[in-house]
């Protein structure tokens, strides 16, 4: 195809995007749009799957049978989210095996937050409340992303995340209304998960490598900083209800801006974590590799069953 044809196609593509039309798998799309989407969707899928580990750590130690059953269902939901998202990325021409290889070799990232350890039961409350809360703020906006299969996956994921957020907040409510030790546990979890949750939204807009292109193509509908601000604004009144101390001394309502002000994030920590030097990066990937290897017989059995069905059908 010559350059003129490509320019025409790109122009027609941008017109469709500007008209809010959804782009579907068989539609023409610029190579860079496809690559950028594969990057974002596959990293989103990896985040869901790796995100099962910190909470999975508490499945055997949940304080009651009810809490255990709820947590088990939540962790399974996260695995399901990973599967919808891998399927959505596959429609762009990348295979599941390629995505897994990229995760395990460190070529692909996953959300920085999942490299922090879950030290107490209150961390399970804080993750549901803050981590799923941050994920929802981001994903509500992604329901309007320009790529059809990604947008549709987001609708279901958001519904499930909203249950997750409430289960986490309910744990925080119980602890914060409990005895002194329980209140301290809740406070400690809030203090440790607050900043990493704000980091989930990515670098400042001025430092975000992909934002400009992703906003033009409506892959992203709101910027990292705008979404972070939304999350802070929604979370502070929830801290007030819990009657916990603010985890950031600079958190303060700003009448002029109509938003909460907050302190600067520790960007050195953020970049260290996304480069692989967080508390749990190595452990998370090692665990994934082990689970993937141990599951090989399941994949082989599925393939053998599929081949048998096809052979029977052909006969
Ligand atoms: N962590 O140009 P930027 C969940 C990377 S899981 C790690 O702003 P972009 C849950 C970024 O990838 C929900 N890396 O990037 C599951 C890029 O590096 P590459 C997870 C980060 O893509 C279980 C570089 O920094 N949600 O809900 O325009 C239990 C420059 O950044 C992070 C999603 O994945 C980070 N926080 O914007 C509980 C949402 N931030 O790729 C809960 C979908 C940035 O060039 N993703 N980086 O090597 C997005 O919306 C966007 O990808 C982001 C980043 C806002 C995250």
């Amino acid at each position: 195809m010559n350059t003129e044809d490509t320019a025409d196609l790109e122009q027609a593509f941008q017109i469709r995007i500007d008209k809010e039309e959804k782009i579907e798998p068989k539609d023409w799309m610029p190579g860079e749009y496809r690559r950028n989407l594969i990057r974002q969707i596959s990293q989103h899928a990896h985040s869901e799957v790796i995100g099962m580990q910190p909470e999975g750590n508490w499945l055997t130690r949940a304080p009651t049978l009810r809490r255990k059953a709820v947590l088990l269902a939540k962790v399974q939901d996260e695995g399901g989210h990973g599967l919808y998202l891998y399927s959505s990325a596959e429609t762009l021409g990348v295979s599941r095996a390629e995505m897994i290889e990229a995760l395990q070799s460190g070529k692909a990232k996953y959300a920085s937050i999942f490299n922090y350890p879950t030290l107490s039961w209150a961390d399970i409350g804080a993750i549901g409340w803050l981590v799923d809360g941050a994920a929802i703020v981001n994903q509500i906006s992604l329901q309007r992303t320009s790529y059809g299969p990604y947008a549709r996956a987001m609708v279901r994921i958001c519904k499930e995340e909203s249950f997750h957020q409430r289960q986490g907040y309910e744990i925080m409510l119980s602890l914060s209304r409990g005895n002194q030790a329980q209140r301290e546990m809740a406070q400690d979890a809030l203090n440790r998960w607050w900043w990493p949750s704000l980091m989930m939204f990515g670098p400042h807009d001025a430092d975000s490598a992909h934002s400009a292109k992703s906003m033009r193509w409506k892959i992203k509908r709101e910027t990292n900083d705008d979404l972070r601000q939304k999350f802070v604004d929604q979370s502070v009144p929830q801290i007030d209800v819990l009657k916990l101390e603010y985890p950031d001394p600079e958190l303060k309502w700003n009448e002029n801006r109509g938003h909460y002000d907050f302190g600067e994030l520790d960007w050195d920590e953020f970049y260290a974590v996304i480069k692989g030097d967080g508390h749990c990066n190595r452990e998370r990937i090692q665990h994934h590799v082990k689970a993937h290897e141990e599951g090989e017989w399941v994949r082989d059995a599925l393939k053998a069953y599929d081949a048998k069905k096809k052979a029977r059908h052909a006969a």
Side-chain angles (χ1 to χ4, degrees), residues 5-291:
D5 289 340
T6 312
D8 286 349
L9 283 168
E10 278 178 4
Q11 199 184 4
F13 179 81
Q14 191 63 46
I15 290 169
R16 291 190 62 196
I17 296 277
D18 294 342
K19 284 202 299 198
E20 296 287 331
E21 278 180 31
K22 290 280 177 253
I23 307 302
E24 296 298 337
K26 289 189 175 152
D27 296 348
W28 186 89
M29 60 187 84
E32 189 53 27
Y33 175 88
R34 186 186 297 276
R35 281 189 291 279
N36 199 15
L37 264 178
I38 290 175
R39 179 193 64 83
Q40 178 167 326
I41 302 175
S42 63
Q43 296 192 157
H44 193 163
H46 300 327
S47 306
E48 301 280 357
V49 170
I50 296 289
M52 296 166 80
Q53 292 186 38
E55 287 173 292
N57 182 35
W58 279 87
L59 280 172
T60 53
R61 290 176 289 161
T64 66
L65 186 57
R66 173 176 168 264
R67 295 285 188 204
K68 189 196 283 281
V70 171
L71 185 60
L72 191 58
K74 181 203 189 282
V75 172
Q76 283 177 332
D77 281 354
E78 307 298 359
H81 297 172
L83 298 186
Y84 318 147
L85 286 162
Y86 283 128
S87 300
S88 162
E90 280 172 317
T91 65
L92 290 156
V94 62
S95 73
R96 186 83 59 103
E98 286 171 296
M99 290 186 272
I100 300 292
E101 197 281 321
L103 168 69
Q104 295 187 344
S105 66
K107 266 183 268 159
K109 296 191 171 72
Y110 56 87
S112 47
I113 190 94
F114 302 119
N115 293 305
Y116 292 83
T118 37
L119 305 178
S120 79
W121 172 251
D123 288 11
I124 301 306
I127 291 182
W129 168 37
L130 298 172
V131 178
D132 286 80
I136 295 172
V137 168
N138 171 286
Q139 290 170 166
I140 283 181
S141 120
L142 288 175
Q143 287 177 347
R144 294 184 297 117
T145 189
S146 56
Y147 188 57
Y150 192 22
R152 291 189 286 275
M154 284 298 110
V155 174
R156 176 157 174 192
I157 291 179
C158 280
K159 285 190 182 139
E160 293 179 352
E161 299 287 30
S162 113
F163 277 106
H164 299 168
Q165 203 234 2
R166 279 178 257 180
Q167 69 84 35
Y169 195 68
E170 200 230 335
I171 293 174
M172 293 301 280
L173 261 182
S174 304
L175 291 173
S176 65
R177 289 173 182 170
N179 62 28
Q180 176 73 10
Q182 288 169 322
R183 278 197 301 280
E184 280 170 12
M185 220 199 313
Q187 183 68 57
D188 173 58
L190 167 59
N191 295 348
R192 282 183 292 107
W193 290 92
W194 177 255
W195 293 105
S197 299
L198 297 192
M199 291 175 192
M200 285 178 76
F201 296 95
H204 278 312
D205 297 345
D207 303 321
S208 164
H210 304 288
S211 277
K213 223 177 315 159
S214 291
M215 293 292 287
R216 179 160 51 85
W217 280 329
K218 301 190 178 178
I219 291 174
K220 280 164 84 166
R221 303 305 307 251
E222 287 175 87
T223 70
N224 299 358
D225 284 324
D226 286 351
L227 290 170
R228 187 167 14 244
Q229 182 71 60
K230 260 191 194 171
F231 173 71
V232 170
D233 291 347
Q234 98 175 13
S235 303
V236 177
Q238 295 168 345
I239 302 177
D240 293 337
V241 172
L242 295 173
K243 298 194 175 65
L244 294 176
E245 307 267 331
Y246 289 168
D248 167 8
E250 291 180 50
L251 263 182
K252 205 168 159 212
W253 179 251
N254 181 326
E255 199 62 55
N256 294 332
R257 293 200 311 122
H259 292 291
Y260 282 92
D261 288 337
F262 55 98
E264 190 55 65
L265 283 69
D266 181 345
W267 294 108
D268 290 341
E269 176 179 320
F270 171 78
Y271 286 110
V273 175
I274 69 170
K275 282 184 189 134
D277 286 327
H279 291 284
C280 304
N281 295 60
R282 286 166 198 82
E283 184 187 326
R284 298 292 184 239
I285 293 299
Q286 274 165 12
H287 185 82
H288 190 276
V289 169
K290 183 168 175 279

